[in-house]
Amino acid sequence: MTLAVETKKLRKLFGPIKALDELSFQVEEGEIYGLIGPNGAGKTTCLRIISTLILPTSGSATVFDHNVVKEATEIRKLITYLPEEAGAYKNLSGLEYLEFMAKFSTRNKKETESIIDNAAKISGLGSRLNDKVKTYSKGMKRRLLVARALMTRPRLAVLDEPTSGLDVLHSFHVRGIIKEYVKQHGVTVLLSSHNMLEVEFLCDKVALVNKGRIIAEGTPDELKTKNKVSNLEEAFAKVVGLA
């Protein structure tokens, strides 16, 4: 078993606030793993540590056996990170934005064109890629950004609330993009969401997170069966004592 991500007793303090409280989990290569829970549970903090954007207070985290503190440069070559509130340059067209971003990781024009073509297919935006980003709806922007995150076929894609604020149709499209891309290319995805019904459809394995701690972990079916409920929202409520 190859581990894409492993955290051990990961803690993060922001002054007196304990954002992560000995968080431990493993993500196997090629799976979609979801950290789910309410806003403020610590999901984003965990993803930012794994993406080498902030340092842990204590504990450890590795990405493909690279330590997030000591080997951040190596990790950044293997991952892409999509924040919840990510934006794109509004005065560029969708294609211009993808080309600009692709050039950071390509060595020649042919490679750049191949990645842009890949991103165009992922986004499903068709001819609208010729229009400026400022004319896009929120859903269209998110599809563009997800395409940007996946277009280089990273070993690990870290996605923070990938469908946040999207309507039903755009959410459906983004979920389909992620699931199909993992199936075709073996990319590993670590994502966060507070939408537990969505994660139930998308993830191979999930961790229910509350107040910086993992309170339950397993496949969606395992968690539902163990708690004798019909969906993950009910499982979460039962685990935290609300049901």
Side-chain angles (χ1 to χ4, degrees):
M1 178 183 70
T2 301
L3 291 181
V5 178
E6 183 175 27
T7 71
K8 295 180 180 179
K9 296 185 176 182
L10 201 61
R11 296 177 74 244
K12 180 63 179 178
L13 304 178
F14 293 103
I17 299 171
K18 191 182 292 184
L20 296 179
D21 186 10
E22 298 196 349
L23 198 75
S24 299
F25 65 93
Q26 297 178 339
V27 181
E28 294 182 27
E29 187 171 17
E31 74 177 354
I32 304 176
Y33 189 101
L35 297 174
I36 63 175
N39 293 331
K43 305 184 301 295
T44 294
T45 298
C46 179
L47 296 190
R48 292 180 71 196
I49 289 173
I50 288 166
S51 300
T52 74
L53 297 176
I54 59 175
L55 297 174
T57 302
S58 63
S60 66
T62 58
V63 176
F64 294 106
D65 293 324
H66 295 291
N67 185 279
V68 296
V69 176
K70 298 176 182 178
E71 301 173 277
T73 300
E74 293 303 312
I75 289 173
R76 290 168 190 161
K77 296 174 184 177
L78 303 174
I79 72 169
T80 56
Y81 173 60
L82 178 62
E84 180 179 2
E85 298 300 329
Y89 300 108
K90 63 181 181 179
N91 287 318
L92 296 180
S93 71
L95 278 176
E96 288 169 339
Y97 169 72
L98 293 173
E99 181 180 8
F100 176 77
M101 299 304 294
K103 286 181 176 178
F104 284 103
S105 56
T106 56
R107 293 163 292 183
N108 54 61
K109 185 177 180 182
K110 184 177 180 181
E111 203 173 321
T112 301
E113 289 175 348
S114 175
I115 285 178
I116 293 170
D117 183 59
N118 190 31
K121 292 175 183 175
I122 295 168
S123 74
L125 291 172
S127 62
R128 287 303 308 271
L129 285 170
N130 296 310
D131 299 332
K132 289 190 175 182
V133 172
K134 66 182 179 183
T135 68
Y136 288 7
S137 67
K138 185 172 183 178
M140 292 170 66
K141 288 177 186 174
R142 202 63 180 169
R143 285 162 64 172
L144 180 71
L145 291 166
V146 169
R148 188 274 299 166
L150 297 177
M151 67 183 182
T152 57
R153 297 181 185 174
R155 288 190 72 184
L156 173 68
V158 181
L159 311 177
D160 193 359
E161 300 281 358
T163 64
S164 176
L166 303 190
D167 61 27
V168 173
L169 290 178
H170 282 297
S171 294
F172 179 81
H173 185 87
V174 169
R175 288 197 300 270
I177 286 173
I178 296 168
K179 196 149 192 169
E180 185 62 25
Y181 207 75
V182 169
K183 181 180 176 181
Q184 286 185 357
H185 303 293
V187 173
T188 306
V189 174
L190 173 62
L191 62 84
S192 75
S193 180
H194 63 270
N195 186 333
M196 300 189 197
L197 298 179
E198 167 178 286
V199 168
E200 192 172 331
F201 162 81
L202 193 56
C203 293
D204 302 305
K205 195 173 182 181
V206 298
L208 305 182
V209 183
N210 192 43
K211 297 179 181 179
R213 298 182 68 92
I214 291 178
I215 55 175
E217 185 184 33
T219 68
D221 284 343
E222 286 171 350
L223 291 171
K224 288 186 292 182
T225 299
K226 182 178 180 180
N227 291 284
K228 299 178 181 178
V229 294
S230 60
N231 59 61
L232 287 182
E233 282 187 350
E234 293 174 350
F236 185 87
K238 194 166 184 178
V239 170
V240 299
L242 296 178

